[in-house]
Amino acid sequence: MIPLSVLDLSPVAEGSDAGQSLRNTLELAQQAERLGFNRYWLAEHHNMPGIASAATAVVIGHVAAGTSTIRVGAGGIMLPNHAPLVVAEQFGTLESLFPGRIDLGLGRAPGTDPVTAHALRRTLDSDPNAFPQDVVELTNYFAPVEPGQRVQAVPGAGLNVPIWILGSSLFGAQLAAILGRPYAFASHFAPAEMERAVALYRERFEPSQFLDKPHVMLGLNVIAAETDEEANYLFTSQMQSFVNLRTGRPGKLPPPVEGYGEQLDASAQALIRQMLSCRVVGGPETVAKGISEFAERTGADELMITGMIHDHQKRLRSYEIVSNSIA
């Protein structure tokens, strides 16, 4: 069966707070490790009341310290927000503390709105070469120190931190192919270019010292429950959150609402059909079949599943059902 990994945004549910969300993240990561998931990634988002993983490197350290075998990483670090040297030092530190377990996924979006991006004290450069140059600079900080090198990452230099290129368009696919890096596509919220991006990456992939053949990981929304009906009910929390975000009203993750989808206007329903089309929602049999069909259709090397569920215990159960369904 295809390897499965977990993408966690540390959702902050209505009625809860960030502290509880981060404790929930650790509990889910520990369960994912017991269940045999391959990796556990956190994502960088800013100024979003419903996401607690803004300080991504810190949360990765929290999760890695509370687990022992599962790979832990960023899916991803939004490189425009940071100096490459700082990222190299952060992930060099993580790799030094948890050797052989840290992944670094890099994205070129700010992970927030323009006003917040400005507050992050980084200028958003419109030059399309800025991101590739930053990736190369960051990569060089992990290389062994050369004689006379004036700036080095300490910790970081000489450490093997796998770098992934993230993307939701053709840009990241081309860059990952040129650099010979693994590629993770955000099909869980931006599926429109998925097939073209994957095909382009595979066609243009150039083997490197890091990777000898292309490796594709695709995002997939998965909500599993005891029955299809319950799973569709739980999924309404993610639907509400997505509609709220897209209409400029981001907030905490709301509780599920019976019949929510039917209450939406035509444009909101179309938005969900389009943007959240890569999803598997249902009971054990539905989930097993859906994951298998998605993997076969896309030819992905790995799937990274994510699911925003208001009730933490239901969320734990969802990943348990997924694991049991594909065993």
Side-chain angles (χ1 to χ4, degrees), residues 3 30 53 60 84-85 124 204 235 275 293 300 320 322:
Q30 291 168 336
S53 56
I60 290 170
L85 175 60
L124 294 181
R204 300 189 181 181
F235 182 57
M275 305 299 284
E293 289 179 348
E320 183 179 29
V322 169

Side-chain angles (χ1 to χ4, degrees), residues 8-13 16-17 20-22 24-25 49-53 253 307-309 315:
D8 180 14
L9 304 183
S10 292
V12 184
S16 187
D17 56 27
Q20 185 59 54
S21 297
L22 294 170
N24 291 347
T25 280
I51 297 177
S53 56
L253 183 66
M308 304 282 275
I309 298 176
R315 188 166 178 241

Side-chain angles (χ1 to χ4, degrees), residues 305-322:
I305 67 172
T306 186
M308 304 282 275
I309 298 176
H310 182 268
D311 184 316
H312 178 57
Q313 295 304 315
K314 296 287 187 181
R315 188 166 178 241
L316 291 172
R317 178 60 180 148
S318 178
Y319 282 93
E320 183 179 29
I321 291 172
V322 169

Side-chain angles (χ1 to χ4, degrees), residues 114-194:
V115 174
T116 307
H118 179 72
L120 290 166
R121 303 295 191 268
R122 292 281 284 173
T123 301
L124 294 181
D125 195 332
S126 60
D127 180 1
N129 294 319
F131 179 66
Q133 290 171 352
D134 282 350
V135 172
V136 171
E137 180 184 345
L138 175 53
T139 299
N140 289 339
Y141 286 127
F142 288 124
V145 176
E146 297 287 343
Q149 182 175 328
R150 298 185 62 185
V151 179
Q152 50 185 284
V154 184
L159 295 181
N160 179 24
V161 179
I163 292 178
W164 292 66
I165 303 300
L166 313 184
S168 57
S169 69
L170 303 184
F171 185 95
Q174 296 178 76
L175 180 61
I178 291 170
L179 297 179
R181 293 288 189 175
Y183 180 52
F185 188 84
S187 38
H188 58 294
F189 73 86
E193 298 278 14
M194 177 185 69

Side-chain angles (χ1 to χ4, degrees), residues 35-63:
L35 294 173
F37 284 87
N38 197 33
R39 335 176 179 268
Y40 196 95
W41 280 9
L42 288 305
E44 178 185 351
H45 293 282
H46 299 278
N47 195 30
M48 294 189 181
I51 297 177
S53 56
T56 314
V58 178
V59 185
I60 290 170
H62 170 63
V63 170

Side-chain angles (χ1 to χ4, degrees), residues 182-225:
Y183 180 52
F185 188 84
S187 38
H188 58 294
F189 73 86
E193 298 278 14
M194 177 185 69
E195 293 181 3
R196 290 181 61 203
V198 170
L200 181 65
Y201 168 67
R202 288 180 171 144
E203 289 168 5
R204 300 189 181 181
F205 181 84
E206 300 179 14
S208 69
Q209 66 185 95
F210 311 109
L211 196 64
D212 60 358
K213 62 181 181 180
H215 185 95
V216 174
M217 181 159 60
L218 299 179
L220 180 64
N221 296 289
V222 180
I223 304 290

Side-chain angles (χ1 to χ4, degrees), residues 222-269:
V222 180
I223 304 290
E226 308 304 330
T227 64
D228 288 1
E229 291 75 19
E230 182 186 5
N232 280 289
Y233 172 66
L234 296 176
F235 182 57
T236 61
S237 291
Q238 187 166 337
M239 293 170 65
Q240 293 175 74
S241 181
F242 189 80
V243 170
N244 291 343
L245 177 63
R246 292 292 174 170
T247 54
R249 298 176 290 112
K252 293 185 176 182
L253 183 66
V257 173
E258 197 71 54
Y260 174 75
E262 291 75 16
Q263 301 170 18
L264 295 173
D265 59 34
S267 62
Q269 290 183 3

